């Protein structure tokens, strides 16, 4: 079965957490919105009057199923591609961690858009500075420290179990994104989370991920996505 | 099996979506943090060095399982208490909707805390006004309009399938919360989402929910939770 991934074609965004899982699993998929008329097809699926129209991208078409919400897609893919444990307890735990990552991702986004996603960054620079200060003082240490602790408790190699999971891939993406958006902050902060940094470097060296990151399928970070580099926010 | 729910004892918050499911199902549970020394027990579980320490409440202890993240708890409970369809496709769809509700809940929270959850509301009144304006202009109509459309496409009675699900209970809570926080806005807005309003009134009349809402187990809305009434934000 060939999967169809639907996501905005010009950003990594939330779709990247799904792309990383598909690439690691060497799954057969097409990134629909990056093909001709693909964005039109994506918008049509969201406006469908019956079936299960997603609220927002990303969503994945898997045969007849249309699955929306990043963590939900990973819940589905993880079970099918060896990126999650087989037991119910293991799957729920991994999904819980992915949902915690989703919460963190929303907070990363709000560093540059505290007054709302539909307003321009340029119209909320001052609040963005305050929100970013709170993010680095309180939130990033709390979230990343939590995952660092889980890695330590699990032996340091993977966040859960004895094999790579989709959550490890997502943690790589968090570190990569924060390094892009906040290079100065991250240089100062990385010593606090050595196991996370080590994990992200091991993920980047995995054969399938390494090929992917060097390919054109990996969209470069930019100032339209979740992780944005605005010099004035990187103290 | 008696469930143990762990959540902040003085607010509805995210825990309320779980409480509503437990109450509708007439499940045997204890709201641990509302018992003597319960909050201490909750904090200890979050600081556990092994097992599966949750990042934040709510979490549910079900036998040996400790399940965190509201939507994940509902995914687990829904399957066991007839509050979700049996098919994988149906369960994924319902979970997707609950995750969309979770995104909306985070945006509701940010109306009064756009600069960060760890700062006082009083220190972010002006940005809160702007974020709230964007919320009512763009976000609330988009999210609630989406669920209104799903209800219409599904015959108007429930959001998915032919039976009540945990998502219907959560939609009731959204309407109740928005009515508390923004009475003027909601009075003006409710005509846009008549099916959602009708659903929420039917949920409130269900026997188990009706008893629950009249009991002391239902914590009143207040200005510590997600839905807060600040007169200056209700235009």
């Amino acid at each position: 079965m060939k999967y169809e991934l639907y996501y905005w074609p010009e950003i990594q965004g939330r779709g990247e957490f799904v792309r990383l899982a598909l690439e690691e699993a060497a799954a057969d998929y097409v990134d629909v919105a990056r093909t001709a008329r693909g964005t039109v097809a994506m918008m049509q699926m969201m406006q469908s009057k019956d079936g299960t129209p997603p609220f927002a991208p990303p969503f994945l078409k898997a045969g007849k199923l249309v699955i929306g919400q990043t963590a939900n897609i990973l819940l589905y893919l993880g079970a099918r591609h060896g990126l999650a444990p087989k037991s119910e307890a293991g799957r729920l735990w991994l999904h819980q961690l992915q949902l915690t990552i989703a919460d963190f991702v929303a907070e990363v986004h709000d560093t540059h858009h505290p007054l709302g996603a539909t307003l321009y960054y340029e119209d909320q620079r001052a609040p963005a500075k305050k929100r970013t200060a709170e993010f680095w003082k309180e939130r990033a240490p709390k979230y990343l420290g939590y995952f660092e602790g889980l890695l330590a408790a699990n032996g340091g190699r993977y966040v859960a179990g004895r094999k790579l999971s989709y959550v490890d891939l997502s943690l790589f993406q968090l570190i990569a994104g924060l390094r892009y958006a906040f290079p100065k902050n991250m240089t100062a902060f990385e010593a606090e989370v050595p196991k996370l940094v080590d994990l992200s470097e091991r993920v980047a060296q995995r054969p399938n991920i390494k090929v992917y990151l060097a390919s054109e399928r990996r969209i470069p970070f930019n100032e339209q996505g979740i992780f944005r580099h605005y010099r004035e926010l990187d103290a």
Side-chain angles (χ1 to χ4, degrees), chain A:
Chain A
M1 178 176 63
K2 190 176 195 125
Y3 295 116
E4 294 176 9
L5 172 65
Y6 293 81
Y7 194 64
W8 304 114
E10 289 169 0
I11 58 171
Q12 292 184 15
R14 287 176 172 81
E16 195 65 13
F17 299 98
V18 181
R19 292 189 185 109
L20 285 166
L22 291 166
E23 293 283 345
E24 168 64 24
D28 191 16
Y29 80 101
V30 54
D31 201 337
V32 177
R34 299 185 71 190
T35 63
R37 294 189 53 78
T39 305
V40 174
M42 180 170 86
M43 301 312 285
Q44 282 172 344
M45 284 180 70
M46 288 168 61
Q47 283 147 22
S48 152
K49 289 284 175 207
D50 42 42
T52 56
F55 180 75
F59 49 93
L60 185 80
K61 195 164 183 309
K64 287 184 181 172
L65 276 180
V66 178
I67 308 163
Q69 284 280 352
T70 308
N72 200 32
I73 299 170
L74 292 171
L75 177 69
Y76 175 86
L77 289 176
R80 277 158 187 76
H81 293 281
L83 291 171
K86 290 204 162 60
S87 71
E88 183 188 30
R91 282 188 289 114
L92 287 168
W93 170 236
L94 215 60
H95 187 53
Q96 174 179 335
L97 297 182
Q98 192 67 39
L99 291 173
T100 303
I101 288 174
D103 288 344
F104 183 59
V105 166
E107 295 197 29
V108 170
H109 177 270
D110 279 0
T111 59
H112 48 77
H113 275 74
L115 300 191
T118 65
L119 306 172
Y120 291 112
Y121 166 67
E122 287 70 21
D123 294 332
Q124 47 189 312
R125 279 176 195 260
K129 265 194 143 165
K130 289 187 185 169
R131 176 86 187 220
T132 302
E134 194 255 4
F135 174 83
W136 278 106
K137 181 166 177 277
E138 302 279 352
R139 307 303 287 169
K142 184 170 176 179
Y143 277 100
L144 298 177
Y146 173 72
F147 286 106
E148 180 77 8
L150 294 182
L151 267 168
N154 196 46
R157 200 141 175 87
Y158 303 114
V159 75
R162 296 183 183 184
K163 282 179 59 188
L164 181 96
S165 72
Y166 61 76
V167 172
D168 296 305
L169 299 173
S170 293
L171 290 171
F172 154 78
Q173 178 67 7
L174 292 187
I175 297 296
L178 291 171
R179 281 180 170 177
Y180 171 79
F182 304 104
K184 287 184 192 168
N185 273 290
M186 275 300 273
T187 298
F189 182 75
E190 285 189 15
E192 308 288 321
V193 289
K195 291 185 173 63
L196 267 182
V197 170
D198 175 66
L199 169 66
S200 78
E201 282 161 10
R202 282 183 287 112
V203 167
Q205 293 304 318
R206 293 180 71 88
N208 292 354
I209 298 295
K210 194 172 179 177
V211 168
Y212 169 62
L213 295 177
S215 76
E216 290 195 352
R217 298 192 302 285
R218 173 80 163 180
I219 300 164
F221 284 109
N222 60 45
E223 279 57 61
Q224 307 299 317
I226 289 167
F227 297 99
R228 304 188 189 185
H229 179 60
Y230 295 119
R231 197 175 302 181
E232 64 270 27
L233 298 185
D234 185 29

